Amino acid sequence: MCSMATSAVSACRPNSRLHSALIGYAARLAAETTFSSADLRQERLSLVIHAGGGLLVLLVPMVLSVYKPQGRTRYGRRKQRVLAQP
């Protein structure tokens, strides 16, 4: 379990080391050899899926925090009725 006193961010996210290692491996391999686009297909797909998932995790709360239905919600109307009654 990650505590609030943890100073290293990577200690809270063990998968970040895995992704960093994968990115480093792909960079070294690209610098050393020539290969076809099919050679790292699985790794590339994994990175794209994880990046898309991270973007989704950030965008969903943002959209939910901005979106507000018109007028009062059912809860707000109910509370207003309760407060208005003598």
Side-chain angles (χ1 to χ4, degrees):
M1 173 140 307
C2 180
S3 68
M4 295 298 276
T6 304
S7 62
V9 174
S10 62
C12 295
R13 299 180 298 154
N15 286 339
S16 67
R17 290 185 190 144
L18 174 67
H19 292 299
S20 296
L22 180 59
I23 292 169
Y25 169 72
R28 281 190 306 278
L29 189 61
E32 293 173 358
T33 62
T34 57
F35 53 91
S36 69
S37 62
D39 287 341
L40 294 175
R41 184 179 183 92
Q42 186 68 29
E43 289 82 4
R44 195 171 52 220
L45 183 63
S46 173
L47 290 173
V48 168
I49 288 173
H50 284 94
L55 185 62
L56 186 68
V57 164
L58 294 174
L59 286 177
V60 167
M62 185 195 71
V63 168
L64 291 175
S65 70
V66 170
Y67 172 75
K68 180 189 176 301
Q70 291 290 350
R72 294 199 183 265
T73 60
R74 284 180 272 168
Y75 175 78
R77 288 189 300 263
R78 187 173 58 241
K79 283 300 228 183
Q80 191 175 24
R81 278 194 308 257
V82 169
L83 292 175
Q85 291 177 353

